Amino acid sequence: MLLYDVVAVHAAGRAPAAWRVRLVAWLTAHGPDGGTVTGLAAAATVVLGLGMVVLALTPGRRASLPMAPPDAHTHAVLPRGAVAVLLRDSVAVLPGVTRVRVRVGRRRVRVGAELAFGDRGGAVAAATRAAEDALAGCGLARPPRLRVRLRSGPGVTAGGGVPE
């Protein structure tokens, strides 16, 4: 609210809100004059607010997944995009799989693929095994849950063969 009011006053030329005028008048009368409780509380609020703004603007590590450290002095992360590429490439080389889409979250990995030909049951098992192997090879500290979905393409029948 304070930021909105300051921007409205300076950018749009409006008058300041009455609550802000009263607050400023009170702070000038009870301001930080050598360690009063109200002055210290106001200063602490300002410092806390600035710290929260800094934390909100700095980039975090949400785009990275932590890897299992080989020793106590090593810390490594793996970008989620790299994990997605590894999983996509490991599933895409399977016979009959045409399109692969991988979404890697912090807790879940979703692999979606399309089967152009072949046995659906065997392809699902092979795709799951390939994705699990690739995910295990990443060496993540907390491997995310894996979900593999295989959609049958237009050339696959219910029995798994190619239509005649």
Side-chain angles (χ1 to χ4, degrees), residues 108-164:
R108 241 184 327 232
V109 174
R110 291 177 293 276
V111 178
E114 185 174 313
L115 182 64
F117 61 87
D119 179 35
R120 180 172 164 71
V124 170
T128 303
R129 191 171 40 255
E132 286 172 348
D133 292 344
L135 196 57
C138 291
L140 299 176
R142 290 182 314 246
R145 287 189 334 215
L146 178 65
R147 179 178 179 188
V148 177
R149 295 183 76 182
L150 196 64
R151 192 175 72 183
S152 298
V156 177
T157 60
V162 178
E164 299 175 10

Side-chain angles (χ1 to χ4, degrees), residues 56-67:
L57 296 177
T58 55
R61 294 187 182 260
R62 293 178 61 90
S64 302
L65 296 172
M67 297 179 71

Side-chain angles (χ1 to χ4, degrees), residues 44-133:
T45 303
V46 168
V47 169
L48 182 65
L50 288 175
M52 291 177 72
V53 168
V54 167
L55 287 175
L57 296 177
T58 55
R61 294 187 182 260
R62 293 178 61 90
S64 302
L65 296 172
M67 297 179 71
D71 58 17
H73 303 293
T74 305
H75 177 74
V77 294
L78 192 61
R80 288 196 281 178
V83 174
V85 169
L86 289 171
L87 289 170
R88 185 192 69 214
D89 290 347
S90 67
V91 174
V93 298
L94 298 174
V97 175
T98 56
R99 292 185 208 143
V100 180
R101 181 178 175 192
V102 179
R103 297 188 66 188
V104 178
R106 291 186 299 162
R107 294 184 181 99
R108 241 184 327 232
V109 174
R110 291 177 293 276
V111 178
E114 185 174 313
L115 182 64
F117 61 87
D119 179 35
R120 180 172 164 71
V124 170
T128 303
R129 191 171 40 255
E132 286 172 348
D133 292 344

